[in-house]
Amino acid sequence: MTAVEHRDGVPAWCIYRGTGHPLEDIGLAELLPPAPPWRVFDGGPLPEADVVPEDDGEMDRRLGRRHRSALHVDPHEIEMVNAAIHLRRPLLVTGRPGSGKSSLAYRISRELRLGRVLRWPITSNTTLKSGLYDYDAIGRAQAAGTRAVGHSQSGGVSEESPIGDFLRLGMLGTAFLPRHLPRVLLIDELDKSDSDLPHDLLSLFEDGEFVIPELARAARRTPEVDVFTADQDQTAEVAGGRIRCAAFPIVVITSNGEREFSPAFLRRCLTYKTKTPTAEQLAAMAAAHALDPDNEHRSRLVEEFVEASKAKGAPPADKLLDAVYLATSGAYQKDGESWRRVVGALWQQLTSPES
């Protein structure tokens, strides 16, 4: 074994190794090198210890309960993920729908034991503010009015409702809270956003901070405010209305290639393009979900899926999982016309083949 490689063949500088196995006997804090001087952030106040929110089952739904083998992971994927982690830069992952772009964020979080992935799904109506926080001004005004009426009837003095009770951080805002270790943030399908959102993200990616005007205006009266986060039943302290990260989050941005991003946006990201899954990767994916453990149908369906992909363009890989599940549920009939119709409908081309 050389000094530049681990025993599994992954370069020694890599923290994420694509094994699918969570870190054991060592923590990410011991592996993570210092940030480059131009990517150091000093946000606070830091918690005494990071709370690692447990995954709500999404990781198992995405990846399966069994760990996938590192032998089936693209080495270039491993390299680019680690470059993004070392440089504290977002990773823009492009490729066809169903090629495993989103699942990369969950594989990183599972292996590095960083807990629940903060997934921010993007639509044409998504704005930067909606990802950072939501302030319920109407709810606060109604609460204040109700309290004022109650105190006037009792002859007491009305007190203003705490502003933090009406403010909740979004997935994006939660990811940039000051922590000792980074969270994994998935910005899913950014190419579906309007033209302004990628540009609006530039400042956040560069500065690692944002201001909540509603809290900044109240900072003289209330310097520290506890607000709700995107994690269930969790709160965080915000000082002076400003949130600044201490550990830049591991940001995975996915795109189906439906639009081009500006050079300014691309300069702030690293990029990786997914490849069409191989037969070995497809078989490992089905095995990870414990489908057809006796391999009664799996290998044959993988071969048929690969051939169908060559003939008419690759359908999303999760359609293979659907077919294997139906086959093991008793739907498969050898040379059956009904089965051929079902599989044909499942595997119909949903995207244009790549040129």
Side-chain angles (χ1 to χ4, degrees):
M1 182 173 65
T2 68
V4 296
E5 291 187 348
H6 285 302
R7 60 182 178 275
D8 53 14
V10 178
W13 68 280
C14 291
I15 299 170
Y16 167 75
R17 296 161 63 185
T19 65
H21 298 284
L23 292 174
E24 295 181 0
D25 303 324
I26 190 170
L28 179 58
E30 301 173 64
L31 299 174
L32 194 63
W38 55 92
R39 298 294 292 167
V40 172
F41 303 99
D42 57 358
L46 281 168
E48 291 187 12
D50 288 344
V51 175
V52 181
E54 293 186 5
D55 178 67
D56 57 4
E58 182 69 9
M59 202 168 292
D60 285 345
R61 288 193 292 272
R62 296 269 186 166
L63 305 179
R65 293 182 179 274
R66 299 184 182 182
H67 301 138
R68 295 171 64 183
S69 169
L71 298 176
H72 304 302
V73 177
D74 179 8
H76 188 47
E77 172 192 297
I78 296 174
E79 293 164 355
M80 296 313 297
V81 168
N82 282 283
I85 292 174
H86 280 253
L87 295 174
R88 277 64 170 182
R89 291 289 185 186
L91 179 64
L92 175 61
V93 184
T94 61
R96 296 182 303 97
S99 58
K101 300 184 299 296
S102 299
S103 64
L104 176 57
Y106 295 87
R107 297 202 302 272
I108 294 170
S109 190
R110 171 180 277 181
E111 184 172 324
L112 302 186
R113 302 183 67 176
L114 292 174
R116 173 176 174 253
V117 171
L118 293 165
R119 177 177 175 264
W120 186 32
I122 305 300
T123 70
S124 59
N125 297 320
T126 302
T127 63
L128 178 65
K129 180 180 178 298
S130 69
L132 293 176
Y133 73 97
D134 176 65
Y135 173 55
D136 186 3
I138 295 176
R140 190 182 185 206
Q142 291 174 338
T146 301
R147 183 174 299 205
V149 170
H151 279 283
S152 64
Q153 291 176 347
S154 64
V157 178
S158 175
E159 295 182 0
E160 190 175 18
S161 301
I163 189 172
D165 290 351
F166 301 91
L167 196 146
R168 180 179 293 276
L169 299 178
M171 296 293 185
L172 186 62
T174 300
F176 280 83
L177 283 169
R179 294 168 51 87
H180 300 278
L181 292 176
R183 291 291 297 270
V184 177
L185 170 67
L186 171 61
I187 303 179
D188 215 3
E189 299 190 334
L190 183 61
D191 49 347
K192 288 183 167 44
S193 70
D194 70 14
S195 59
D196 292 333
L197 183 58
H199 178 76
D200 293 341
L201 286 166
L202 293 183
S203 177
L204 181 65
F205 288 163
E206 197 63 25
D207 301 333
E209 66 176 64
F210 65 97
V211 172
I212 301 176
E214 292 85 352
L215 299 186
R217 287 193 293 267
R220 181 177 298 178
R221 195 170 60 252
T222 312
E224 290 88 25
V225 177
D226 283 332
V227 302
F228 295 103
T229 74
D231 295 311
Q232 187 174 7
D233 301 326
Q234 296 294 321
T235 61
E237 182 182 292
V238 179
R242 184 183 78 151
I243 290 178
R244 178 175 172 85
C245 69
F248 192 84
I250 299 173
V251 183
V252 176
I253 305 171
T254 69
S255 168
N256 293 327
E258 297 177 1
R259 62 183 283 192
E260 293 184 358
F261 297 106
S262 70
F265 181 81
L266 295 176
R267 280 199 304 270
R268 289 164 173 82
C269 301
L270 280 73
T271 59
Y272 167 70
K273 185 173 183 179
T274 60
K275 300 177 181 178
T276 300
T278 65
E280 291 78 11
Q281 289 172 324
L282 292 169
M285 183 187 305
H289 287 274
L291 293 177
D292 194 15
D294 297 328
N295 198 15
E296 183 179 357
H297 307 287
R298 187 174 67 231
S299 294
R300 183 189 66 255
L301 286 173
V302 167
E303 292 178 5
E304 292 177 3
F305 186 87
V306 171
E307 290 302 315
S309 299
K310 293 177 181 177
K312 57 184 179 181
D318 56 2
K319 296 300 180 182
L320 170 65
L321 301 183
D322 291 341
V324 176
Y325 178 81
L326 287 178
T328 57
S329 299
Y332 173 76
Q333 297 176 0
K334 186 176 182 180
D335 299 325
E337 184 64 29
S338 172
W339 174 251
R340 284 196 293 270
R341 285 197 302 267
V342 170
V343 172
L346 283 174
W347 293 356
Q348 64 181 329
Q349 183 181 352
L350 301 181
T351 58
S352 299
E354 294 181 345
S355 56

